[in-house]
Amino acid sequence: MQKRRVFFKQISVLALAFSSLSVYAEKTAKIKENIMKLNQKANELFKKFFSSSQLELVQSDTEFMSNFMNFSLSEAYTTSKLDDKTKFKLILAALVANEGLSEFDTYARAALKAGVRAEEIKEILYQATPYVGFSRSASFIKQSARLFKELKIKLEDNRGTTNENNRFEKGLQAQVELFGEGMRQIPKDMPEDTHFIRAFLSANCFGDYYTRKGLDLKFRELLTFVFLAALGGVEPQLKGHIKGNIRMGNDRLVLISAITVIIPFIGYPKTLNAFSAINELTKA
């Protein structure tokens, strides 16, 4: 009787072992199925900046992510003439403008691997506010705080350089640097009951944001160009900031490269509108 019990116990242990091996084999097969089919360049860049475990769609729709990563990394990313850090900063800006919160964490981690400082990421999100609105930027600011806490990254607070007494003048000076002395004058065709918006722009948009530490004025203007291109439907403002970028030394090549790297994140209609505006204001 005792031998029979031992025999059945051994059979049970073996059955459990085979069952575990079967489950393991099944999981291994699924993992293999979820490996993206990337070309050489895309695979190289993916391994450098990303992790499959951070991308939910790699698990749920490998075919889609294979197509997306092959294009975004081996074509759009490599065609752009900007450096890695600049590319990732602009991709983050495009994600904010297009409400890409679900992918922000993944690309913020990649940006950090590319050498982008956490302070720069925070400043990108701050500056997004006057262009995309609080309702979009707030979610990204909260998510960045969670990410930096997880990664044990401590940021310097109070990077602002203005106060209530000088924010208007400093903001106006930034506008003058970007767009010329004409910014000191209110357009003659602007209705008097909307003159206040010029003060808002100088004090808030430029005084509160453009003057902050963490990003220089030249890059902030490129960042704004990307926000506007990614938003779409704001061509008058987009053209104004193309002029500001040219004035700051961000030439046609830089502007085209900025749009090129974000094509996968904003789509072709917005891309073509941005290229059209660039072509109108610069010479090939």
Side-chain angles (χ1 to χ4, degrees), residues 99-281:
E99 301 183 271
L101 184 62
S102 65
E103 302 307 311
F104 172 76
D105 190 277
T106 296
Y107 280 89
R109 291 173 189 268
L112 292 169
K113 286 184 180 180
V116 177
R117 293 180 291 109
E119 289 83 358
E120 293 176 300
I121 295 176
K122 195 69 171 286
E123 286 303 316
I124 290 168
L125 304 182
Y126 270 47
Q127 187 165 327
T129 303
Y131 295 100
V132 306
F134 171 80
S135 60
R136 293 191 186 186
S137 66
S139 297
F140 289 88
I141 292 172
K142 292 174 186 176
Q143 181 60 27
S144 72
R146 289 190 287 267
L147 174 62
F148 297 150
K149 182 178 181 180
E150 175 194 332
L151 298 178
K152 295 180 173 55
I153 296 174
K154 293 184 178 180
L155 298 178
E156 173 193 354
D157 291 325
N158 303 316
R159 288 186 295 277
T161 63
T162 62
N163 56 47
E164 284 299 315
N165 296 322
N166 64 19
R167 59 197 283 265
F168 173 83
E169 287 300 328
K170 285 195 171 184
L172 178 59
Q173 183 56 42
Q175 287 178 288
V176 169
E177 288 184 47
L178 291 167
F179 308 112
E181 288 293 331
M183 296 305 301
R184 298 187 187 278
Q185 306 298 321
I186 295 177
K188 294 180 180 179
D189 60 349
M190 189 175 192
E192 188 174 347
D193 58 357
T194 61
H195 282 188
F196 68 87
I197 198 67
R198 292 301 298 273
F200 281 11
L201 282 166
S202 295
N204 178 238
C205 183
F206 291 89
D208 291 342
Y209 295 101
Y210 269 77
T211 61
R212 291 174 60 82
K213 293 182 287 184
L215 297 171
D216 63 29
L217 188 63
K218 181 178 180 179
F219 181 75
R220 285 185 182 277
E221 184 60 1
L222 183 62
L223 192 62
T224 296
F225 165 72
V226 166
F227 283 138
L228 296 173
L231 280 172
V234 291
E235 278 65 40
Q237 291 77 23
L238 181 66
K239 291 176 183 178
H241 283 279
I242 288 174
K243 293 177 181 178
N245 271 281
I246 297 299
R247 187 180 177 93
M248 292 301 295
N250 293 322
D251 61 15
R252 177 184 171 88
L253 177 61
V254 170
L255 296 177
I256 290 175
S257 291
I259 296 300
T260 300
V261 77
I262 64 170
I263 290 174
F265 306 91
I266 69 173
Y268 286 102
K270 293 175 183 177
T271 296
L272 294 174
N273 286 345
F275 282 165
S276 177
I278 294 170
N279 290 335
E280 182 179 327
L281 296 169

Side-chain angles (χ1 to χ4, degrees), residues 57-70:
L57 278 174
V58 171
Q59 308 303 319
S60 62
D61 200 327
T62 311
E63 181 183 10
F64 171 79
M65 285 305 290
S66 297
N67 290 339
F68 177 78
M69 283 297 177
N70 277 326

